[in-house]
Amino acid sequence: MSAPERIRSGRHWPLGATWDGAGVNFALFSEHASAVELCLFDRADAGRPVATVPLRERSEFVWHAYLPDVRPGQFYGYRVDGPWAPGEGHRFNRNKLLLDPYARAIAGVVRVNDALLGHDPRGGDDAAPSRIDSAGALPKCVVVESAFSWGDDAPPRTPWTRTVLYECHVRGMTMLHRGIDEALRGTYLGLASEPILEHLHSLGVTAVELLPVHHFGDDAALVRRSLRNYWGYNSIGFFAPEARYATTMLGGQVAEFKTMVQRFHRAGIEVILDVVFNHTGEGSHAGPTLSLRGIDNRAYYRLDPADRRRCVDFTGCGNTLDLRHPRVLQLVMDSLRYWVGEMHVDGFRFDLAPVLGREERDFDRFSGFFDAVLQDPLLAQVKLIAEPWDLGPGGYQTGAFPAPWSEWNDKYRDTVRRFWRGDEGVVPQLASRLSGSSDLFQLSDRGPRASINFVTCHDGFTLHDLVSYERKHNR
């Protein structure tokens, strides 16, 4: 199929699909690709593009073009050519349509399907590339109009000393709530409805900490058991709000997310996102090819130096993003700035945060990621919270993060639980935890605000169940 007329070379920045009022600039980073093709679709579920555009211009390993005839609402994806050489870390396969890592919206749900595998599963290994075209099985990226009437929206900027965090799930918080319009249950708009706002105010909550809202996929292992990734810790789009939490999946999720934030701010409540930058939903080397793996596997992921067919796995999820690469670090930083600058969120809780600070192997509080965050004037204004452990060597790092980071304090959690249960000899430890856990944080020149004092979270019982039993009570 032919390409649209009047194609221009465009720019290599900003990355992603950028609407300027007259047309759209497309830019995609791939260091090792030999060719990149932009595919335009008329439907989110289409298997064939209405037009294809070879991106012939490349600057600093960014492939780009400007299309003056494209408008917001356009569905698109990429095909990327290059070597299929798993032993060298390369998994290019032009039969696979790929999601733009910078897509502002993704139309639809990524469902488990063998067509999404870059390798041919019939051989029992990943030695041969799949010849199946995946376009019909993959949702499409959407060009988004970023304009929004924010009015007088302003961040509450609640001081840490008065911050009360409430971790919640967009769908779970609202899906069965009879006080919410049935059409809005399970959505961003439902979460920011009056019944929820009134409930949070009654508890004294000053900030909601949303479980992951980056667009995510389901794990094949879960799907085989008729389950799905309910929590959402399987991101495949670091700029795209999860479509299943919106009343429309065709790009409107961006405006609905912004409306939710605006309503929370009017109520004086901050919005903090639980973000997963340690891995992606593409899983291990045997997982699907959805985006980064097909765009440039060797650049985006940490690969085992002894066997580049396989990913290094510090996350327990099959792969680990390689933030040592400047373009991967840029991806994460651009995403954080986007959610603060464009989506007006007030902070982040970083899942398995030590992964982000690993250099060659070990955690380093002076790593490039922490340096980049520290000097960023936009991120300096928001709350930064670390989950201070991962599954890599030396993965327990409570108390080791640099200022201005705060950390989930598992010592506080465990001590309060033991005291509540009636264990003996806990009072001295409880006194230390209630007074700021200086034994953990003073060495990094941080005070009590560095400690996020929590008792329970999504990993385990609800607070009601936790305080109802003396011992583990899983039925």
Side-chain angles (χ1 to χ4, degrees):
M1 296 183 182
S2 62
E5 298 178 359
R6 301 195 298 143
I7 299 171
R8 303 174 190 168
S9 62
R11 301 173 302 182
H12 67 290
W13 60 271
L15 291 167
T18 307
W19 161 249
D20 64 6
V24 178
N25 191 81
F26 293 90
L28 181 77
F29 163 76
S30 180
E31 182 177 349
H32 299 102
S34 59
V36 174
E37 184 177 79
L38 171 67
C39 300
L40 304 178
F41 298 85
D42 58 358
R43 302 192 325 273
D45 60 352
R48 290 175 60 83
V50 295
T52 58
V53 181
L55 302 190
R56 305 191 188 283
E57 299 292 333
R58 187 181 71 168
S59 309
E60 301 174 22
F61 299 117
V62 175
W63 304 73
H64 52 91
Y66 181 86
L67 277 62
D69 300 319
V70 171
R71 297 289 182 267
Q74 175 68 59
F75 301 114
Y76 74 98
Y78 289 103
R79 296 187 189 276
V80 181
D81 259 337
W84 175 267
E88 299 173 21
H90 298 309
R91 294 181 177 274
F92 296 99
N93 185 341
R94 79 170 321 275
N95 295 303
K96 304 304 165 182
L97 189 73
L98 303 171
L99 297 172
D100 181 356
Y102 280 75
R104 271 33 176 192
I106 297 172
V109 179
V110 176
R111 305 191 185 280
V112 174
N113 190 318
D114 279 355
L116 300 176
L117 297 175
H119 62 281
D120 186 341
R122 294 174 300 179
D125 56 33
D126 61 345
S130 166
R131 303 301 180 188
I132 302 173
D133 191 300
S134 69
L138 190 74
K140 310 304 184 287
C141 306
V142 189
V143 176
V144 170
E145 166 62 79
S146 62
F148 182 78
S149 298
W150 283 105
D152 59 356
D153 181 73
R157 299 209 190 285
T158 308
W160 272 113
T161 53
R162 293 197 297 107
T163 295
V164 178
L165 296 165
Y166 189 103
E167 184 191 61
C168 60
H169 186 281
V170 173
R171 183 177 175 85
M173 185 80 173
T174 62
M175 198 62 196
L176 301 178
H177 199 301
R178 284 178 284 185
I180 299 174
D181 186 318
E182 193 167 346
L184 299 181
R185 294 177 191 174
T187 69
Y188 302 116
L189 299 180
L191 186 64
S193 61
E194 283 304 314
I196 300 298
L197 296 176
E198 291 172 4
H199 175 63
L200 295 174
H201 277 146
S202 73
L203 297 175
V205 168
T206 69
V208 288
E209 183 178 297
L210 305 184
L211 270 72
V213 297
H214 288 169
H215 202 97
F216 64 88
D218 293 330
D219 312 63
L222 292 176
V223 173
R224 285 194 292 268
R225 296 159 55 197
S226 299
L227 301 172
R228 63 187 183 88
N229 191 325
Y230 180 73
W231 291 142
Y233 290 91
N234 217 17
S235 302
I236 55 171
F238 293 141
F239 294 76
E242 169 55 49
R244 283 174 281 193
Y245 301 155
T247 63
T248 172
M249 291 190 180
L250 302 181
Q253 56 264 42
V254 177
E256 291 189 18
F257 184 93
K258 291 178 178 179
T259 300
M260 176 195 71
V261 173
Q262 186 180 50
R263 290 178 182 175
F264 273 122
H265 284 179
R266 286 175 181 169
I269 297 174
E270 294 181 308
V271 178
I272 294 174
L273 303 187
D274 192 337
V275 290
V276 186
F277 292 119
N278 53 77
H279 76 283
T280 76
E282 291 185 301
S284 72
H285 69 287
T289 295
L290 307 173
S291 180
L292 305 182
R293 173 163 290 138
I295 294 171
D296 199 328
N297 184 67
R298 186 161 157 176
Y300 282 105
Y301 291 118
R302 285 181 180 251
L303 304 180
D304 185 346
D307 182 4
R308 287 184 169 174
R309 292 173 58 253
R310 302 180 181 276
C311 296
V312 171
D313 186 6
F314 293 142
T315 66
C317 300
N319 66 60
T320 304
L321 272 181
D322 192 354
L323 269 73
R324 299 169 301 177
H325 193 293
R327 287 293 189 178
V328 183
L329 177 59
Q330 178 189 359
L331 171 67
V332 173
M333 295 299 296
D334 285 350
S335 171
L336 294 173
R337 284 189 288 263
Y338 174 76
W339 287 95
V340 175
E342 291 287 335
M343 308 295 263
H344 286 208
V345 305
D346 304 285
F348 305 94
R349 178 266 189 189
F350 293 79
D351 181 66
L352 301 184
V355 170
L356 308 178
R358 290 187 180 275
E359 291 294 339
E360 289 309 307
R361 184 171 181 272
D362 297 327
F363 174 80
D364 183 352
R365 63 196 300 265
F366 302 107
S367 71
F369 171 71
F370 293 129
D371 288 345
V373 170
L374 182 62
Q375 61 78 43
D376 190 279
L378 192 60
L379 300 182
Q381 304 174 45
V382 303
K383 291 181 167 71
L384 302 170
I385 303 169
E387 180 186 34
W389 45 80
D390 68 15
L391 301 184
Y396 183 77
Q397 293 293 335
T398 300
F401 283 73
W405 288 72
S406 297
E407 304 174 32
W408 274 22
N409 188 347
D410 60 311
K411 302 291 188 185
Y412 179 97
R413 175 199 64 194
D414 297 344
T415 301
V416 170
R417 286 181 178 185
R418 289 197 298 268
F419 177 79
W420 180 269
R421 192 172 60 183
D423 290 6
E424 296 182 359
V426 179
V427 171
Q429 275 284 324
L430 182 65
S432 174
R433 300 302 156 225
L434 292 176
S435 60
S437 299
S438 62
D439 58 321
L440 297 176
F441 301 110
Q442 67 180 354
L443 292 178
S444 56
D445 197 29
R446 290 178 295 161
R449 57 140 287 193
S451 176
I452 301 298
N453 298 335
F454 76 108
V455 179
T456 193
C457 66
H458 62 278
D459 291 326
F461 288 144
T462 64
L463 183 61
H464 180 277
D465 288 349
L466 182 72
V467 298
S468 299
Y469 308 105
E470 291 183 351
R471 295 175 181 83
K472 194 170 185 179
H473 195 77
N474 290 3
R475 287 187 171 182

